[in-house]
Amino acid sequence: MGAKRALSLAWLSFVVLSLGAECGCQANFLAASAHPRFAEVQTIIERRHLHSVAELLPLLPADYRAHYVLVFDSRSLQRATFEAPRVILFSEESAFVMSFNGSSDELGFESVETMEFDGNSKEFRFREIRFPDRPTDGVEISAINPSRCRACHGAPARPVWDTFPLWPGVYGERAGAPLSDRERRGLEAFARVRGSHPRYRYLVDRRDRRIDRDSRQYEGRHGDSNERRFDSLMSQWNLEAVLDDVIRAPLFSRYKYGLLEALAPACQERLEVSPAYARFAIAANRANDVQASTKRLRAIAPLDDWQWPLGRTTRAVPLNRFRFLVEEGLRLSTDQWSTALEQGTYDFAAPETDVAALFVDAAAGTAPDLSRLYQRTQLHEEACDALRRRHGSQLGSDDDAAGSAQNAPDLRQKPAVLATCVECHEAEDVGPGLPFGNAAAFRRAVETSRYPRGSLLDEILFRLQPAAGSKRMPLTTVLSDEERTTIADYFRFTAGEMSDKAPLEQDDARP
C-alpha cells in the first residue's frame, strides 16, 4: 500500500505541474495542426532559437505528446535505462515520429531523432537534430537519411521495430499481459522523477493511460495501448513502402496476377508447392525460428505462461509465397522487408493486417483490375484458378520471359549491375569505400586487401551468393543466376584471373 500511495502522490504532483505548463505552452506552438511534421519542428527550432530538447518539448502539441512509448533497453543511438527511458512520440495523422532520452549519462542525450513517412513517395526519411553543448553554438540538423541513420536503417531506409506481440525492451513488452515485476518497479522509479524532470514532465496522459492504475493501459482493458498503436503504424507504413517497390518493378505487370494469388487468403490452400518454393520457405522459416528465439532471449518479462492477446485477429502475415515471386520473378531482394531487429529474417506478424487489400489499393493506378479480381476471390474459390491461368498466360505471352537464352557476355564490357556497386560504395558512401568503377585500382585492392574470406575478390564472390544471407550483395537487388555469373566473371577478369580477346581499359570511367 505504501508503494501505491507514493506512486499516486508522484502522479498527482505531475498532473498539477503539467496542467500549469499546458496553459502557457500550447499557444506557443507555431503550426496550426495538432500533428506536426518535420518542417514545422524545424521552424520552431530556428525561429525560437532553441538550444535544448527541454525547450522544444513544451512547444509541441499536447495531443502529440500524449502518444508515446517508453523504451528502457534501447539499441539505437539514444540509450536508455528503466528510470530514464527513451521516449518515442508518434502521430498517425502526420506520419511523424521523434524520440529523445532523459539522462545526460546516456548516449544521445543532446539529440532528437526523427522519422517521417512520405505517403506520396512511400519513403522513410530519418534525420537527427543535435542541440549544442554551449548556448552560443548552433543546432545541427542532418540531411535526410545520413550515414549514421543508414547504419541501422539501411538503404532504402526502413524502421527498426520488433513485431507484434512481443517488444523486448519496451514497457509493456508483452502485448495484452500485465507488466512484469521488473517493468513495474522501473515504472515506479520513472514516476517518482517524472513530475519534476525537465523533459518527461511535458508528457501528457490520455484518460486510458495512467501508469499508476495497475498498468491497465498495457493489458488492453481500455482500448489499444500506445505500444500496439505504434506497432500497427510501423507495420502499415513499412508494408506500404515494400508494396510500392514491388509495383514499381519493371516486371510487375508480368507477375501481378501471381502476386495477388500469393496474397489472397482464399487462395492459400490452393497454391501448388514446387521444390524451389519448398526450399525457399524452409530457409525462411528457419531464419524466423532463429529470430524468434533471439527475440525471446532479449525479453525481460517471463514468457512461459504468457498467452497471446485475445479478442483481436492476430496472425503472421503469409508473405513467403509473395516474397518467392518477388525474388525469383521481379529480381528484388526481400532481406530488408521486415522491421525486426534481427536482419535477414522475415517476420511480418501484425494484428488485423490485410496485405492483399493493401496490395490492390497500392496497385490501383497501374493495375485497376486487381481490385475486382480480389473481391471475386473472397466470393468464389474458382477465382483463384482464374488468377493462376492469367498469371501463366501472361508469362507465356512475354517474348523476353525469364530464362530465355542469352549470348555469353563480353568480359570487357561492364555489366549493368556494376552501376549499383559504384553507387553504394563510391557515390553514395553507403558501404565501405571500394573502387568498383576504377579497374586498375580494383586490381590493386584485390592484391593488397585482406578480408574474412581471403582477398577482396574472395569476399565479393561470397557476397554475391544466396548463401551469404543478410550479407548478400547488392542489398536492394536479387541477381538471376545469369547476372550473378556475368558480374562474377567480370570481377575475376578485372582482378586478372581471367583473360579475354583484348585487355580491359585501365581508366577511371564509370559505368
Side-chain angles (χ1 to χ4, degrees), residues 373-448:
L373 292 170
Y374 177 52
Q375 292 175 4
R376 287 182 60 191
T377 66
Q378 296 173 303
L379 299 174
H380 308 287
E381 290 186 353
E382 292 75 12
C384 296
D385 298 327
L387 280 175
R388 186 176 300 111
R389 288 194 298 271
R390 291 193 182 204
H391 175 59
S393 175
Q394 190 76 18
L395 290 178
S397 64
D398 207 321
D399 292 334
D400 63 339
S404 62
Q406 300 288 333
N407 294 326
D410 182 353
L411 297 180
R412 294 169 297 177
Q413 300 298 318
K414 296 177 179 178
V417 73
L418 185 65
T420 301
C421 305
V422 173
E423 182 180 13
C424 288
H425 291 272
E426 295 187 46
E428 292 290 337
D429 193 28
V430 175
L434 295 173
F436 284 113
N438 184 323
F442 179 81
R443 181 172 297 186
R444 289 193 297 270
V446 168
E447 294 172 350
T448 59

Side-chain angles (χ1 to χ4, degrees), residues 209-369:
R209 186 182 176 88
R210 286 291 301 276
I211 292 175
D212 59 336
R213 290 181 179 174
D214 299 326
S215 69
R216 282 177 291 180
Q217 77 282 5
Y218 292 108
E219 298 175 22
R221 297 180 188 173
H222 295 270
D224 274 349
S225 69
N226 274 352
E227 292 71 34
R228 188 176 290 187
R229 292 186 186 197
F230 186 67
D231 180 89
S232 295
L233 291 177
M234 291 297 100
S235 176
Q236 178 179 330
W237 294 338
N238 183 58
L239 285 172
E240 287 183 24
V242 163
L243 295 176
D244 187 69
D245 290 342
V246 170
I247 292 164
R248 292 176 182 271
L251 298 178
F252 170 72
S253 61
R254 184 195 300 173
Y255 285 89
K256 61 182 181 180
Y257 300 119
L259 291 169
L260 176 57
E261 182 192 13
L263 288 177
C267 302
Q268 295 302 306
E269 295 183 0
R270 303 169 68 91
L271 291 170
E272 298 177 358
V273 179
S274 66
Y277 172 69
R279 291 191 295 270
F280 182 90
I282 289 171
N285 292 336
R286 285 175 178 170
N288 286 350
D289 288 343
V290 172
Q291 185 260 348
S293 298
T294 305
K295 185 177 178 181
R296 293 173 71 90
L297 290 174
R298 290 193 281 112
I300 67 163
L303 304 178
D304 295 339
D305 299 327
W306 172 51
Q307 299 292 324
W308 275 36
L310 301 177
R312 295 285 299 269
T313 302
T314 305
R315 59 186 175 87
V317 180
L319 289 187
N320 273 351
R321 176 75 64 165
F322 184 75
R323 288 181 47 249
F324 179 71
L325 275 181
V326 169
E327 293 219 356
E328 295 297 313
L330 304 187
R331 306 301 183 191
L332 297 179
S333 172
T334 66
D335 280 352
Q336 306 299 315
W337 276 16
S338 175
T339 65
L341 178 66
E342 290 78 15
Q343 296 183 354
T345 58
Y346 314 101
D347 180 3
F348 302 96
E352 296 183 338
T353 302
D354 189 340
V355 185
L358 287 176
F359 174 68
V360 297
D361 287 345
T366 57
D369 58 330

